[in-house]
Amino acid sequence: MLYAVADRKHTHEDHPRRLPIGFAHRGGPVRPGGWRAPDNTLSTFRTAYDDGAPGIESDVRATGDNVSVLFHDANLASNGPRIDGLAKADLPDWVPTIADFYATVPADVEFCVDVLDPSTVQTVLEAARAAGALDRLWLVTSWPEARNWRAEVGPEPHLVAGLSWSRSRTGFTAAATEVGASDYCTINMEDRRWNRRRIADTHHAGLLAFGWRAVSATQIKRLVRLGADGIYSDTTSLLVRLLPSRAPSRVYTASRRSVR
């Protein structure tokens, strides 16, 4: 299904959530004391939600029988079979589908999905729509992606442009301007690539700034201090504790593109 969408954009000034959003990366599997739970499992996702994470991040891939599952790597295990070569029934029980996620985690969570296989997008949308959670869905794809994403996904989901190391290293202002003129509403980069100037350029382009790989307290605090709008961390308890109070001055009200 393709949507005809009026020329109106999401911007960093009209987002409906309090910022910054803390995302439990792959469910935030690192526990206090350094013990690590399995990534991308329903138990890990639910624990992150119960621990107070405003958002959860995961990765979506298609199986050989076209089931969209939450799994990061291309292979089931190191040197093991590829996910896209296996049927869903051949995967371990702990590998969940998108529908499993929404059946386990309440729909009021911000759910960020790294789209590793574009063929999964419609399944992700269907599951989010059934849960009433389309406006809390964030879809991450590598920039640039030669697709008319907004027409494909409709007005509600938020489109996140993942900038590579090379694109973030030089010519960032031009890249931010280019992203800002597109269907995307957010730039996502590794935490160490962000500085005050790049945050300012991102906001000037009408975009949100998300930082990933914020593992330590120092990294999380730095992103908060710089004014990042989203922070991904593997340690949910640390992330929740260090998120600012998210004062009303940073509460945005959403603009929506009309669907014809």
Side-chain angles (χ1 to χ4, degrees):
M1 178 179 183
L2 293 181
Y3 297 84
V5 198
D7 187 21
R8 191 178 181 192
K9 295 177 61 59
H10 293 278
T11 77
H12 87 282
E13 293 179 339
D14 60 27
H15 190 264
R17 310 292 180 244
R18 292 188 175 191
L19 302 176
I21 301 170
F23 291 96
H25 180 244
R26 302 190 200 174
V30 177
R31 304 287 186 252
W35 177 73
R36 188 179 184 96
D39 295 355
N40 291 324
T41 67
L42 295 177
S43 174
T44 302
F45 295 143
R46 182 67 204 210
T47 297
Y49 180 85
D50 290 343
D51 285 348
I56 293 173
E57 186 273 351
S58 189
D59 316 271
V60 62
R61 291 187 179 275
T63 64
D65 53 349
N66 295 316
V67 177
S68 296
V69 295
L70 300 177
F71 199 84
H72 178 267
D73 298 323
N75 298 75
L76 183 59
S78 180
N79 298 319
R82 289 181 58 90
I83 295 293
D84 60 10
L86 295 171
K88 173 60 173 72
D90 297 328
L91 297 177
D93 292 341
W94 49 262
V95 178
T97 66
I98 295 288
D100 292 336
F101 175 89
Y102 282 115
T104 302
V105 179
D108 61 348
V109 74
E110 304 289 330
F111 188 30
C112 182
V113 181
D114 195 349
V115 181
L116 302 175
D117 183 344
S119 71
T120 61
V121 169
Q122 288 306 316
T123 302
V124 173
L125 293 173
E126 290 167 7
R129 184 179 297 111
L134 278 174
D135 65 340
R136 293 179 182 270
L137 178 65
W138 303 76
L139 300 174
V140 183
T141 58
S142 296
W143 175 264
E145 171 66 54
R147 297 166 70 98
N148 188 356
W149 281 110
R150 185 55 64 192
E152 185 171 347
V153 305
E156 293 94 351
H158 311 283
L159 298 176
V160 182
L163 249 60
S164 66
W165 182 85
S166 59
R167 291 301 298 270
S168 65
R169 181 180 148 192
T170 59
F172 180 83
T173 301
T177 301
E178 186 180 357
V179 176
S182 74
D183 291 337
Y184 291 79
C185 67
T186 305
I187 287 178
N188 184 31
M189 295 195 305
E190 189 176 359
D191 72 296
R192 63 191 175 119
R193 300 293 168 198
W194 287 111
N195 55 38
R196 288 194 184 277
R197 176 60 184 271
R198 288 179 172 181
I199 295 282
D201 285 345
T202 300
H203 287 170
H204 182 73
L207 301 164
L208 298 169
F210 284 8
W212 59 274
R213 205 192 289 273
V215 178
S216 69
T218 299
Q219 291 169 298
I220 295 172
K221 289 178 180 178
R222 177 178 178 273
L223 286 174
V224 170
R225 187 172 65 251
L226 291 177
D229 304 296
I231 301 171
Y232 300 89
S233 178
D234 283 14
T235 310
T236 303
S237 58
L238 190 65
L239 180 65
V240 170
R241 177 165 59 86
L242 295 176
L243 285 176
S245 60
R246 294 178 283 168
S249 62
R250 299 201 70 201
V251 178
Y252 305 147
T253 56
S255 70
R256 295 292 176 83
R257 293 180 174 194
S258 61
V259 179
R260 298 191 296 272

